[in-house]
Amino acid sequence: MKDLRTELREWLLATIEQIAPSADDSIFASIVVERPKQAAHGDYACNAAMVLARALKKNPREIAQQLQSALPPSPHVARHEIAGAGFINLFLTQEARASVVRRVLEEGAAFGRGQSGKDQRVLIEFVSANPTGPLHVGHGRQAALGDAIANLLSAQGFDVTREFYYNDAGAQIQNLALSVQARARELRGETAAFPESGYHGDYIREIAQNYLDRKAGDVDDLDSVRRFAVAALRKEQDADLQAFGVRFDNYYLESSLYTDGRVEATVQKLIASGHTFEQDGALWLRTTDFGDDKDRVMRKADGYYTYFVPDVAYHVTKWERGFRQAINIQGMDHHGTIARVRAGLQALNLGIPKDYPFYVLHKMVTVMRGNEEVKISKRAGSYVTVRDLIDEVGRDAVRFFLSMRKADTEFVFDLDLARSQAEENPVYYVQYAHARVMSVLRQAQQTADAVISASPAANLALLDRPHEEALLRRLADFPADMAVAARELAPHHITAYLRELAGEFHGYYNAERFLVDDAALRQARLTLVVAVGQTLRNGLAILGIDAPNEM
């Protein structure tokens, strides 16, 4: 079913084309139909007169008057008027306002979805934690954002693949192996020097003890220790992600880039491109040829590659696998890698766009209890883990909280607020709205006089109370808000929408009775309640959060 806002825009554009036949496509693309800031100014407002003013060399209000006079009748519009500099304000019929309820009932779980991404493949890489310790709260923010963004794009018709890139090679993995080896030797009563850049959490001692208990190999066999430690931490991270409700379609190992020869092949292609040079015994990539602020070392004098080289090789595999759109969700500390990875891809001359891949970078999360920052975990020692948060406040609260701010803003995770059962707790407030919806419907089913249930045939024109009109407007906005959230890769639009919808339903619940004596009004109100519940479920599903039937 076509969105009402889309129908109204098409209705307006048909008349605009008549009064401005010479206007080009860019002008028409700038004409929008949107909600005015104040409900008293109409259901929708159109900026066409201001957009056309320069092209037609006329005063916007003059154009607005010409447009208003030429508009044909619409079954959806009760009246229209000119306001301000030349906005066309549209006032809908009551039936048009309420038509969204029928649409929700008809589309069900598909309400809010679109087709803007049809036949487009996209790879979303997120979390991609080094297997050197439990997932920390920053990984949790990535997981919440990445999963919600994947759901948003899927809801717009994109063919989405979720990928986790395991950094199972390099200096950090070497430090992990040396840390476990040192602890294993200590557990055997030996004196062992702990590596300067080693990992100190209790989990290292646990892995070392398990290694000894299972007699997996000689403690002196560092490669055996490394394989055991990486496998143990991958298993733990997978368990944490499962507890968080996040799944991946594919796991890609950094080590495979070396064993398959992809890193070396990429380096040779870069050398052949003419964008490399040798200096001080190191191999450099002239990334300044592609807008970077300075050239970068590819291979150090000791023969080891710097970390951005396998990153370039990895992103080549994304392109070769047919993903013309790739999104990386990473911490803000990865900002410096963007220019060099893109420069490496450009130097290869494979036809990869300059902005490939696209990055969503998130800022840090500060965890607070009371007025004090929580900095350490019982197991990890130096940081708060995702599992700590889940165990303390529950998966739903963690996912909602970590999704409700723009990725590039810092976020304070208030443990006390997340645990509270109060209006101030946003996830509780939204879930409680759904529980109230289900409570109303249970009461309707249990009423002795066999109350008429919700129905698409209900007389929705009866929904003319202020709270009802506010809910109708909010329901009608859901598809557009979903589209914006997907386009901007911004799940916080959905958390904001859900909080507003929940607030309006709580106000309705407190102001009006649903099981009234008037059968037609009762049916209309119950039908509206069903639509609200469905929309709450649809929004929560995007965030990977449950919609409880009772609380």
Side-chain angles (χ1 to χ4, degrees), residues 53-361:
R54 178 175 296 181
L56 299 182
K57 297 180 180 179
K58 291 183 179 179
N59 181 281
R61 283 191 69 91
E62 181 183 349
I63 297 173
Q65 290 167 355
Q66 185 180 358
L67 175 59
Q68 187 183 36
S69 299
L71 283 171
S74 166
H76 306 305
V77 180
R79 62 186 175 91
H80 41 75
E81 61 183 34
I82 301 171
F87 285 100
I88 303 292
N89 288 349
L90 307 177
F91 295 81
L92 302 183
T93 65
Q94 186 59 27
E95 179 60 30
R97 289 193 188 103
S99 64
V100 65
V101 174
R102 292 195 177 89
R103 182 181 174 189
V104 176
L105 266 60
E106 179 179 323
E107 297 182 7
F111 176 62
R113 293 175 173 264
Q115 289 297 313
S116 62
K118 186 178 180 181
D119 299 326
Q120 297 183 58
R121 298 179 68 206
V122 58
L123 178 70
I124 303 179
E125 180 208 333
F126 59 107
V127 182
S128 294
N130 296 329
T132 55
L135 298 178
H136 57 63
V137 66
H139 297 132
R141 192 173 192 187
Q142 276 193 49
L145 290 171
D147 201 43
I149 288 171
N151 289 336
L152 281 167
L153 293 180
S154 293
Q156 294 302 314
F158 286 87
D159 179 2
V160 176
T161 296
R162 295 164 164 86
E163 186 157 281
F164 190 120
Y165 177 63
Y166 270 120
N167 298 95
D168 63 336
Q172 291 177 319
I173 298 301
Q174 181 73 359
N175 285 331
L176 169 70
L178 290 171
S179 301
V180 173
Q181 184 183 59
R183 291 293 183 239
R185 285 172 172 163
E186 288 178 359
L187 289 168
R188 291 199 314 188
E190 301 173 9
T191 301
F194 202 80
E196 183 178 348
S197 300
Y199 297 92
H200 294 269
D202 288 349
Y203 68 94
I204 295 294
R205 187 176 297 275
E206 293 172 14
I207 294 171
Q209 186 64 64
N210 288 337
Y211 182 82
L212 294 174
D213 290 345
R214 298 180 187 183
K215 298 180 180 178
D218 185 350
V219 171
D220 295 328
D221 185 348
L222 188 61
D223 191 53
S224 175
V225 173
R226 178 188 59 78
R227 289 196 304 270
F228 185 89
V230 168
L233 286 168
R234 282 189 61 181
K235 183 177 180 181
E236 178 168 343
Q237 289 181 357
D238 288 347
D240 288 345
L241 290 168
Q242 185 175 2
F244 205 38
V246 175
R247 64 170 182 81
F248 287 89
D249 301 301
N250 191 44
Y251 293 87
Y252 201 103
L253 300 182
E254 179 186 0
S255 59
S256 72
L257 295 169
Y258 292 92
T259 56
D260 294 346
R262 286 187 172 275
V263 170
E264 186 59 35
T266 299
V267 171
Q268 292 306 314
K269 288 177 182 177
L270 288 171
I271 293 173
S273 74
H275 293 287
T276 64
F277 64 94
E278 292 196 25
Q279 181 178 304
D280 301 327
L283 178 66
W284 296 67
L285 179 64
R286 196 174 287 107
T287 55
T288 51
D289 290 349
F290 305 95
D292 199 2
D293 59 347
K294 62 180 181 180
D295 296 327
R296 307 290 176 173
V297 174
M298 291 173 53
R299 187 175 58 223
K300 296 178 290 186
D302 61 9
Y304 287 97
Y305 293 118
T306 55
Y307 63 89
F308 93 92
V309 176
D311 280 354
V312 173
Y314 170 50
H315 284 90
V316 170
T317 75
K318 293 182 180 182
W319 184 259
E320 291 178 344
R321 284 182 279 161
F323 292 105
R324 295 302 179 257
Q325 297 181 72
I327 300 168
N328 290 2
I329 300 169
Q330 297 175 315
M332 195 64 72
D333 57 328
H334 286 78
H335 184 272
T337 69
I338 296 176
R340 64 197 72 171
V341 168
R342 287 176 173 172
L345 294 172
Q346 290 302 298
L348 290 168
N349 197 28
L350 298 173
I352 299 176
K354 292 181 180 180
D355 60 353
Y356 187 97
F358 185 83
Y359 288 83
V360 175
L361 301 182

Side-chain angles (χ1 to χ4, degrees), residues 141 145 360-365 399-413 417 426 489-493 495-496 499:
R141 192 173 192 187
L145 290 171
V360 175
L361 301 182
H362 68 85
K363 287 191 176 179
M364 64 180 294
V365 178
R399 291 189 68 136
F400 196 100
F401 273 56
L402 293 179
S403 299
M404 70 181 187
R405 294 285 185 272
K406 284 187 67 176
D408 61 0
T409 59
E410 293 187 3
F411 178 64
V412 175
F413 194 112
L417 177 62
L489 306 179
H492 71 275
H493 287 307
T495 62
R499 294 170 75 175

